[in-house]
Amino acid sequence: MSFTKFTAAVGLLLMALAGARPATAQTALPDWTPGASKEFNEQIRKAIADKKITKIKIGFTNPYMSEYYGEIYAGAYSMMKELQAKYGVKFEYVASSGSTHADAESQIAALKTWARQGFDAVVVCTAADPSAMDAVFADLLKAGTYPYFFNMPPRVLALNPDSPLKDYSMNARAIVGYDNFLAHYDAGMWVAQLLTMKYGEAKGKIGQVWGPGGHWSIERNDGLAAALKNYPNIKVVPLVRGVYDRDSGMKGAEDLLTVNPDLDVVYGENEEMGLGAAAAVLAKGKKLWDFKTKQGLIVLGADGLVSGYKEIRAGRLTATINVNPVANGRNLIEAIFWDRVLGWRIPKIILAPTTVVDSRTVDLNDAYVKWAQSVKYPSGGN
Amino acid sequence: MARTVWGNRFLSILGGSPEVRIGLIIVLAGIVMSIISPYFLQLGNVVDLLESVAILSILSFGVTFVLLVGELDISVGSTMAIAAITTNMLLGRAGFPLSVALLGGIATGLVIGLMNGALTQFLGFPSLIVTLAMMSILRGIIYLLTGSAPLAPYKSEAYSFLGTGQILSFLPVPVVATVLVLLLLSLLLFRTRFGRLMLMAGANRKAANIAGLNTRNIGFIMFVACGLLASLAGVLLGSKLKSVFPEFGMGYELRAITAGVIGGVSLFGGRGSFLGAFLGAVLIGLIFNMIDLLALDPYWQFVVMGMMVLIAVLTDNVLYDLSLKRRGTT
């Protein structure tokens, strides 16, 4: 290739990159307007018109993109659509993530870029310590951009005496998430219930396949341990570590079952590891839990994803802890609306309800996520 | 005739100088971005862009040392983390003054560099295998030291200044540190005998040995320098992020190598510069900045970076050969 052609090719590449835009689908709003009374909606519309607000620009940044974050976004979009329908405010959004799970520097760079572009709000989930973001948030607030944490464990952030974010003195306007501790506390109680069905009393052995570590993991483990304090005959064997994927979940569960062939429960810290653990159980020739016979090995995942619900229906996973990503996303946008648009005081910690989902309750939970995913809201609205 | 002479001269410079090529790409991309986005050329955006790649640049300088002698070090991300943890623990749990904590952090990089250097240069193990093993060992130690949980944030304003402070009210300290390190290393490479020996040792180890050069010693020093710079990068990043968590520094090794390769540092040794590595890091930062400013899907960064590496390696070889041929004919 000649030098001239090479230069032209590089130039074209740069121009193409500069001209690229994310695809947006233009769809008409359905003929519905949910929500409160007509007068209330009109009053809110008037308040918004007085502030001359027609659009809210939001930047999302999380450690990586995944089915879980996709469900949070689906919830967020569903609330954006409702708020536009009720009050006429449109939402523009962009998403960014680092090159790796731990790449907080790229997240910080994105936040600063968005503040410079005059974004109204930024929402952050990070693997870094929240205090790193809190310092950046102070600058964002000065620039008029409101920062929010999402999917961050509230107990570690606000209630830990070592955390500089205790006493709600943090710069983030709110932490929107779920109570990790209580969600896994409930999982512990649910496990005790099933073991009681199996043995006539709450006894048995639990094996955990846990992620590499971090503030999420600490809270989950603490919640489980707190529940099991009520059941001294349920023992937890030393945990094994995975890396939040199916392969490591399967390997971890295989090792657990080799050392503890009489295990009653395998508990994966997330959906993928739970699914891997279930595969390991089947590969070892063991049966998974059956509510009819009340026998079999109980395998638990966490997150509450459509892929997990599919496996529960198929009998390839016993249960998952639904931390309600859709509700998290909806709460987030609603919080931004009340705070940024209307200027009301919102709570510093906003939590979504959580539940343990098994074959008895999977349809309800699955329907909620599928509804949110069916709601289309392009950036900029309609 | 004149056009041919000037054209050949330009091609000679371009072909023989990856720094010029990358610089041109950065300038071209900057021109395009300044037309598309009114925010791009704002001083704040340029400063933020440089700040976002300052620590990566320092790390890529370390990697460049070993690349120049034809070796590889992929343990630098883990070295960053160990250095940051050491500083954090000495400052926080042990209550030492900042100077001691910083020295402790840097010393860990020195020790790791010494080990990598000894294993590769004196015992002759392949650097990819040694540093891959070191990366894994160090990461395991990190998880053990932290108990798989983030360390409590440090409480030192002075330490915080290193990673987040500003000089003259707008220049971030890491950017100033990067420029100073770059100047020092560039002087070392191009103005000292040792710098020339580094390039000779990398270009053709056998020939260098025959010529009486002790390439093992040179290679050993390169790994030590790499360890030191990785620990400096780690200490600065630990200051910037206020704390250290188990995955700290993960992925930085690949980005540092990418920055070096894009900047024209040859994977086979003997060619490249610290300026090239710096420009490579700036280009990576520019890609991230463009993606954010243009609101593109964030995963374009992987596509573009991968393409840049391929283009850099292919064109480096082609244009270098071309420049050698043209120098021969003019």
Side-chain angles (χ1 to χ4, degrees):
Chain A
M1 184 194 279
S2 71
F3 176 69
T4 312
K5 283 184 185 169
F6 169 73
T7 314
V10 169
L12 279 170
L13 171 68
L14 288 169
M15 296 293 280
L17 196 64
R21 288 283 183 274
T24 58
Q26 294 299 315
T27 54
L29 268 180
D31 187 22
W32 51 263
T33 309
S37 73
K38 188 170 166 242
E39 191 183 328
F40 177 74
N41 284 357
E42 277 172 6
Q43 289 292 334
I44 299 284
R45 279 179 182 262
K46 185 172 173 306
I48 292 167
D50 288 346
K51 288 172 191 266
K52 296 183 179 23
I53 294 173
T54 55
K55 188 173 65 180
I56 296 290
K57 239 174 140 174
I58 304 176
F60 293 81
T61 177
N62 27 273
Y64 53 87
M65 298 298 180
S66 68
E67 187 186 352
Y68 176 71
Y69 288 104
E71 288 189 12
I72 292 179
Y73 287 8
Y77 303 155
S78 72
M79 181 53 74
M80 288 176 189
K81 189 165 187 172
E82 277 178 32
L83 290 172
Q84 183 185 325
K86 277 196 247 190
Y87 309 125
V89 176
K90 295 189 178 186
F91 291 84
E92 263 184 45
Y93 55 84
V94 300
S96 171
S97 72
S99 55
T100 63
H101 180 253
D103 185 10
E105 267 202 300
S106 296
Q107 290 188 291
I108 290 171
L111 293 174
K112 289 181 177 180
T113 301
W114 290 335
R116 186 158 299 109
Q117 289 180 299
F119 275 46
D120 299 290
V122 292
V123 296
V124 181
C125 173
T126 181
D129 193 89
S131 14
M133 291 297 169
D134 205 57
V136 176
F137 287 177
D139 292 336
L140 297 183
L141 285 169
K142 281 184 204 155
T145 300
Y146 281 25
Y148 304 82
F149 276 126
F150 79 106
N151 194 43
M152 300 290 284
R155 284 173 191 256
V156 169
L157 291 188
L159 304 177
N160 185 336
D162 287 333
S163 166
L165 306 177
K166 63 182 186 290
D167 303 329
Y168 309 114
S169 57
M170 58 194 188
N171 286 314
R173 303 290 289 180
I175 302 167
V176 180
Y178 58 93
D179 194 325
N180 232 334
F181 177 96
L182 282 180
H184 289 260
Y185 179 93
D186 287 343
M189 301 300 278
W190 175 90
V191 161
Q193 203 185 72
L194 260 62
L195 289 173
T196 306
M197 283 184 201
K198 185 175 181 180
Y199 292 119
E201 61 172 298
K203 70 171 191 179
K205 278 167 93 174
I206 299 178
Q208 292 168 272
V209 185
W210 234 231
H215 28 73
W216 294 280
S217 282
I218 299 167
E219 280 198 352
R220 288 168 185 165
N221 222 16
D222 288 349
L224 176 68
L228 295 180
K229 265 193 189 145
N230 301 308
Y231 305 102
N233 291 330
I234 298 178
K235 305 289 177 208
V236 181
V237 304
L239 61 80
V240 296
R241 296 268 179 202
V243 287
Y244 293 125
D245 63 17
R246 211 172 285 208
D247 281 346
S248 61
M250 186 167 183
K251 181 76 183 60
E254 278 171 355
D255 292 343
L256 276 174
L257 289 166
T258 301
V259 176
N260 308 278
D262 56 343
L263 219 49
D264 296 290
V265 182
V266 180
Y267 191 153
E269 198 197 330
N270 76 332
E271 210 85 290
E272 282 296 307
M273 291 202 295
L275 292 170
V281 167
L282 294 171
K284 287 258 179 192
K286 293 181 183 288
K287 286 193 185 323
L288 287 170
W289 176 263
D290 185 332
F291 272 102
K292 291 193 191 114
T293 62
K294 297 185 180 34
Q295 294 299 314
L297 217 143
I298 299 162
V299 180
L300 192 58
D303 281 341
L305 306 179
V306 166
S307 56
Y309 297 153
K310 192 174 152 193
E311 299 300 308
I312 290 172
R313 280 205 186 89
R316 291 191 289 262
L317 182 70
T318 313
T320 183
I321 300 163
N322 179 14
V323 300
N324 221 334
V326 167
N328 272 276
R330 289 176 62 79
N331 286 347
L332 187 55
I333 300 305
E334 200 169 19
I336 292 171
F337 179 76
W338 287 115
D339 183 20
R340 193 72 176 90
V341 178
L342 294 179
W344 287 36
R345 164 69 69 183
I346 57 171
K348 279 288 191 182
I349 298 182
I350 300 170
L351 301 175
T354 58
T355 186
V356 181
V357 178
D358 58 35
S359 56
R360 300 170 292 185
T361 52
V362 67
D363 289 339
L364 181 153
N365 288 273
D366 193 25
Y368 186 44
V369 181
K370 289 211 169 111
W371 162 76
Q373 288 174 332
S374 71
V375 175
K376 303 296 177 202
Y377 188 83
S379 173
N382 305 106
Chain B
M1 181 72 167
R3 192 175 59 196
T4 306
V5 167
W6 280 109
N8 282 347
R9 199 170 284 174
F10 179 66
L11 278 171
S12 241
I13 295 169
L14 204 64
S17 177
E19 295 83 0
V20 170
R21 288 199 295 276
I22 297 301
L24 272 176
I25 291 174
I26 290 171
V27 166
L28 275 171
I31 291 170
V32 170
M33 277 307 295
S34 61
I35 295 167
I36 293 168
S37 170
Y39 303 101
F40 180 74
L41 276 184
Q42 283 181 6
L43 180 62
N45 188 60
V46 173
V47 170
D48 283 346
L49 196 162
L50 290 173
E51 192 200 3
S52 72
V53 298
I55 290 168
L56 174 65
S57 298
I58 291 174
L59 192 68
S60 72
F61 298 156
V63 166
T64 298
F65 267 113
V66 295
L67 285 176
L68 284 175
V69 292
E71 304 279 10
L72 205 53
D73 186 345
I74 58 171
S75 67
V76 290
S78 300
T79 305
M80 283 175 77
I82 281 277
I85 284 170
T86 305
T87 301
N88 187 297
M89 283 181 160
L90 287 173
L91 204 51
R93 288 185 201 180
F96 282 108
L98 179 61
S99 51
V100 173
L102 290 175
L103 277 172
I106 303 284
T108 56
L110 175 68
V111 168
I112 293 163
L114 286 168
M115 286 196 289
N116 284 339
L119 287 167
T120 54
Q121 304 305 301
F122 300 125
L123 295 183
F125 296 128
S127 56
L128 175 62
I129 304 299
V130 165
T131 57
L132 183 63
M134 187 62 72
M135 177 177 85
S136 179
I137 292 166
L138 291 176
R139 192 56 65 183
I141 292 172
I142 289 160
Y143 276 109
L144 289 167
L145 280 176
T146 59
S148 300
L151 297 184
Y154 62 83
K155 291 176 175 48
S156 163
E157 289 298 321
Y159 186 32
S160 177
F161 181 75
L162 289 180
T164 60
Q166 290 180 329
I167 293 174
L168 301 175
S169 303
F170 78 99
L171 271 176
V173 171
V175 173
V176 175
T178 301
V179 170
L180 287 173
V181 171
L182 173 62
L183 284 171
L184 204 67
L185 295 180
S186 297
L187 279 169
L188 172 76
L189 187 64
F190 294 118
R191 291 278 187 252
T192 67
R193 187 168 169 270
F194 185 75
R196 287 192 291 280
L197 293 179
M198 273 164 57
L199 292 168
M200 273 174 61
N204 190 327
R205 202 164 249 220
K206 233 183 204 171
N209 281 328
I210 291 168
L213 206 57
N214 192 331
T215 57
R216 273 194 211 172
N217 284 354
I218 292 173
F220 177 75
I221 292 169
M222 298 299 102
F223 275 99
V224 172
C226 182
L228 279 170
L229 286 166
S231 60
L232 174 63
V235 162
L236 285 173
L237 188 60
S239 164
K240 184 175 181 179
L241 298 185
K242 306 286 184 217
S243 177
V244 192
F245 46 97
E247 295 94 359
F248 189 100
M250 261 186 185
Y252 271 80
E253 57 282 323
L254 284 181
R255 281 166 64 190
I257 293 169
T258 302
V261 170
I262 288 174
V265 182
S266 173
L267 282 169
F268 304 106
R271 273 192 288 133
S273 69
F274 298 104
L275 175 63
F278 173 69
L279 291 173
V282 169
L283 189 55
I284 289 173
L286 188 59
I287 291 166
F288 274 77
N289 190 234
M290 283 166 70
I291 284 169
D292 287 335
L293 284 172
L294 300 177
L296 298 179
D297 191 302
Y299 288 118
W300 275 109
Q301 69 190 259
F302 297 115
V303 175
V304 176
M305 267 178 30
M307 282 169 60
M308 296 297 324
V309 169
L310 277 178
I311 291 169
V313 169
L314 286 169
T315 56
D316 185 47
N317 282 330
V318 165
L319 288 176
Y320 183 67
D321 287 345
L322 200 65
S323 79
L324 285 179
K325 279 185 195 155
R326 287 191 184 270
R327 276 181 206 161
T329 55
T330 53

